[in-house]
Amino acid sequence: MSTEKKSFFGVMKSYNKNFWVASVMELFERWAWYGLFAVLALYLTGSTDDGGLGFTHTEKGQIMGIVTAILYLLPMITGVIADKIGYKLSLIIAYIVLGSGYYFMGEVSSYTSVFLVFLWVAVGAAMFKPVASAIITKNTDKSNSTLGFGIFYMMVNIGGFIGPAFSSTLRTQYGWKIVFLQAAIVIAINLLILIFFYKEGERVKKVESISEAISSSLKNIWEAVKDSRLSVLLVIMVGFWTMFNQLFYTLPTFIEDWVNTKALHDSIAQVSPWIASAMSGGGDSVNPEMLINLDAGSIILFQLVVSYFVLKIRHVSAMITGFIIASIGIGITFYTGNGLYTILGIMIFAIGEMMTNPTFSSFIALISPKGKEALYMGTYFLPIFLGNFLTTFVSGNLYQAWSDKLSLLQTEMTNRGVQMPEVTKEFTKNDYFALASEKLEMTQTQMTQLIWDTYNPNKIWYVIVGIGIVTILALTIYDRVVIRPKEAAQKAA
């Protein structure tokens, strides 16, 4: 027993200052990113009299999906630049871009300007992303890298949990602009940590130019993708990321439109007034981002337990099981307007995510030819890129047509022959709901139920769960055709 303790503390002491600086910076960067991203869909589509921008869901899907997709393509360029100019300078540039981008996102309101400023933020995030991981890699070795990356990813989830929790209270109490100011301030703190605590070691200067290095990086990616075993796996994983993204892109607005979070708040308050207050940001309704945040909270609490059980299962079997659990969870969240089921669905989804996402990296390593593991791992971001791009249409165009409360209510009022004004900055979305409620002689809760019963906006779950089912079937076939024969050959050898 004492030997295990000594070994653990020995490993902890082996991490140098740069390791801990990078880990803390990751926490703050994720705090800023998820503090904004978890509420971005609500801000973009929110009523203008509440401080939102009043965009359509199609516009929201384009801003969030296309920009975030680009973010996951850029690291193969920004990572090369970082190796060339040094990590510290790269991070200084990243923080200046991020901080200015977060601040100005709260200052612009047109579709084009929001798209461009968010793209600026994505450039900063893409500058940061490969550098943080590279610092951890350079400051760990075989004896401590497993625990080191475990600590690093724990910081990811802690930051991802703290950010939305702060944003929930801040936007409820002080309005939307402070959410963007919070993100800019957190990034400024990271800049100070970098300047005063991070010390860059000696760099091996490379002879090739930046353009040559980028060209070489692209050729390496292409060489790996030409392996059909890898490319098929990457295509299959697009399904997981497309389904996963619905948690941040689509579910917040679905909760806002269709889940009676005031009733949920009152139910929680009967058990714990403090928890109800925390989840509502001090208001009388549970904020959607706090329900979404249950995903990150569950990962913080249960990832080690889930990982322990996953170790006993084959990689691909764990991924298939994770897909099944995640599909069930995401289906429950969209199937009903009952907030308690929303909570249940998110927590079930989190278990599936915990089984699937960490295993994917190991799975790529499993099919990588010996000596090409790093080359193959460089393709990890490609399904995330495509998943975000496809989410543009599910969260945008499809949600707008099938599930947007305002659009469905407008259709209902037209079908009833009831004249209603167009939604403008002067006559907002909230004004439309209030007037429609008055003309229908219903409370807004009754009106929402009428639209739900008439148009079944939850039918979007067919598509979302359908993506999960197709992914499960594809991965099962892939296992039987590619992985099991490879495992059998290895045993025979």
Side-chain angles (χ1 to χ4, degrees):
M1 188 74 175
S2 60
T3 305
E4 291 179 2
K5 286 185 178 180
K6 187 177 180 181
S7 174
F8 173 78
F9 286 114
V11 173
M12 293 297 284
K13 287 179 181 179
S14 69
Y15 300 122
N16 61 25
K17 187 171 76 170
N18 280 349
F19 170 87
W20 293 109
V21 169
S23 297
V24 171
M25 288 194 297
E26 178 70 17
L27 186 155
F28 278 104
E29 192 276 334
R30 293 291 85 184
W31 175 341
W33 173 262
Y34 280 110
L36 169 63
F37 200 72
V39 298
L40 186 56
L42 300 171
Y43 174 69
L44 295 176
T45 60
S47 183
T48 52
D49 55 347
D50 285 335
L53 298 185
F55 291 169
T56 66
H57 288 275
T58 302
E59 291 171 324
K60 170 208 74 180
Q62 291 168 350
I63 290 171
M64 295 182 69
I66 294 174
V67 171
T68 310
I70 292 171
L71 189 163
Y72 281 99
L73 270 187
L74 288 177
M76 62 182 172
I77 297 174
T78 57
V80 171
I81 294 172
D83 284 335
K84 193 71 178 174
I85 67 175
Y87 293 164
K88 190 161 190 172
L89 179 56
S90 295
L91 288 175
I92 289 173
I93 295 170
Y95 292 152
I96 291 172
V97 172
L98 280 169
S100 59
Y102 283 134
Y103 175 78
F104 283 109
M105 272 199 75
E107 300 297 315
V108 295
S109 58
S110 69
Y111 169 82
T112 302
S113 60
V114 171
F115 188 99
L116 291 176
V117 176
F118 190 43
L119 183 58
W120 180 248
V121 170
V123 171
M127 287 288 292
F128 173 87
K129 192 170 286 292
V131 176
S133 299
I135 293 173
I136 298 298
T137 301
K138 283 185 176 292
N139 290 279
T140 55
D141 54 37
K142 288 184 178 180
S143 68
N144 61 11
S145 63
T146 301
L147 180 59
F149 273 97
I151 293 170
F152 182 70
Y153 289 120
M154 181 181 70
M155 293 296 195
V156 170
N157 285 290
I158 291 174
F161 181 82
I162 292 174
F166 270 73
S167 293
S168 178
T169 299
L170 288 172
R171 78 173 181 93
T172 303
Q173 300 294 327
Y174 305 105
W176 280 107
K177 282 189 181 290
I178 198 168
V179 170
F180 301 97
L181 186 60
Q182 170 201 213
I185 290 171
V186 169
I187 293 299
I189 293 171
N190 247 0
L191 181 58
L192 294 175
I193 292 172
L194 173 70
I195 292 171
F196 290 108
F197 297 102
Y198 179 74
K199 184 176 180 181
E200 188 155 28
E202 290 292 325
R203 287 192 298 114
V204 178
K205 293 186 179 180
K206 298 181 179 179
V207 178
E208 60 182 354
S209 65
I210 290 180
S211 60
E212 289 172 338
I214 292 173
S215 176
S216 176
S217 173
L218 294 175
K219 286 177 181 177
N220 287 339
I221 295 291
W222 175 243
E223 181 186 339
V225 170
K226 283 193 296 185
D227 184 337
S228 59
R229 295 176 307 163
L230 176 64
S231 57
V232 170
L233 173 63
L234 295 177
V235 170
I236 291 171
M237 284 303 296
V238 171
F240 170 77
W241 287 109
T242 304
M243 186 176 70
F244 170 79
N245 286 338
Q246 305 313 314
L247 199 70
F248 291 100
Y249 292 67
T250 312
L251 189 56
T253 50
F254 184 85
I255 293 170
E256 186 88 339
D257 281 345
W258 304 111
V259 178
N260 188 341
T261 58
K262 188 178 187 309
L264 178 60
H265 171 275
D266 295 342
S267 297
I268 295 172
Q270 291 178 358
V271 178
S272 172
W274 181 85
I275 293 177
S277 177
M279 295 191 70
S280 64
D284 61 355
S285 299
V286 175
N287 289 338
E289 63 269 26
M290 289 304 293
L291 292 176
I292 306 302
N293 220 16
L294 292 171
D295 177 68
S298 297
I299 292 172
I300 293 170
L301 293 174
F302 303 118
Q303 179 67 72
L304 290 178
V305 176
V306 173
S307 295
Y308 173 77
F309 286 104
V310 168
L311 286 173
K312 302 172 185 286
I313 309 174
R314 292 175 59 247
H315 282 76
V316 69
S317 299
M319 289 180 69
I320 292 171
T321 305
F323 278 141
I324 293 171
I325 294 172
S327 298
I328 293 171
I330 202 75
I332 291 172
T333 61
F334 284 99
Y335 183 74
T336 173
N338 186 313
L340 295 176
Y341 281 94
T342 304
I343 292 173
L344 176 64
I346 291 171
M347 296 188 75
I348 292 174
F349 178 86
I351 295 172
E353 181 189 348
M354 284 183 266
M355 293 186 70
T356 303
N357 197 13
T359 311
F360 179 40
S361 301
S362 301
F363 196 24
I364 292 180
L366 182 69
I367 66 168
S368 301
K370 195 168 185 179
K372 293 188 176 182
E373 292 85 357
L375 181 67
Y376 275 51
M377 284 301 299
T379 64
Y380 175 85
F381 65 88
L382 289 175
I384 307 177
F385 154 72
L386 289 171
N388 276 279
F389 184 75
L390 291 178
T391 302
T392 298
F393 304 100
V394 179
S395 179
N397 305 64
L398 188 64
Y399 190 92
Q400 183 72 39
W402 284 9
S403 306
D404 175 37
K405 183 178 176 181
L406 176 62
S407 299
L408 297 179
L409 181 56
Q410 288 171 328
T411 300
E412 179 65 17
M413 300 306 279
T414 300
N415 291 344
R416 288 173 176 249
V418 180
Q419 295 294 320
M420 292 288 291
E422 291 292 322
V423 173
T424 62
K425 286 187 177 180
E426 290 71 34
F427 186 77
T428 67
K429 182 191 288 191
N430 286 340
D431 293 332
Y432 191 98
F433 289 149
L435 182 59
S437 174
E438 181 182 322
K439 290 195 173 188
L440 292 172
E441 298 181 344
M442 297 178 178
T443 65
Q444 291 213 23
T445 301
Q446 291 171 330
M447 181 180 71
T448 299
Q449 190 63 48
L450 168 70
I451 302 303
W452 176 280
D453 293 337
T454 305
Y455 296 97
N456 301 313
N458 60 331
K459 64 187 176 185
I460 196 171
W461 81 271
Y462 295 144
V463 174
I464 296 171
V465 175
I467 292 170
I469 292 172
V470 170
T471 304
I472 292 164
L473 294 175
L475 193 56
T476 302
I477 294 170
Y478 183 83
D479 180 34
R480 293 184 178 180
V481 174
V482 176
I483 301 302
R484 288 186 183 274
K486 182 179 173 73
E487 290 175 341
Q490 289 174 339
K491 285 181 180 179

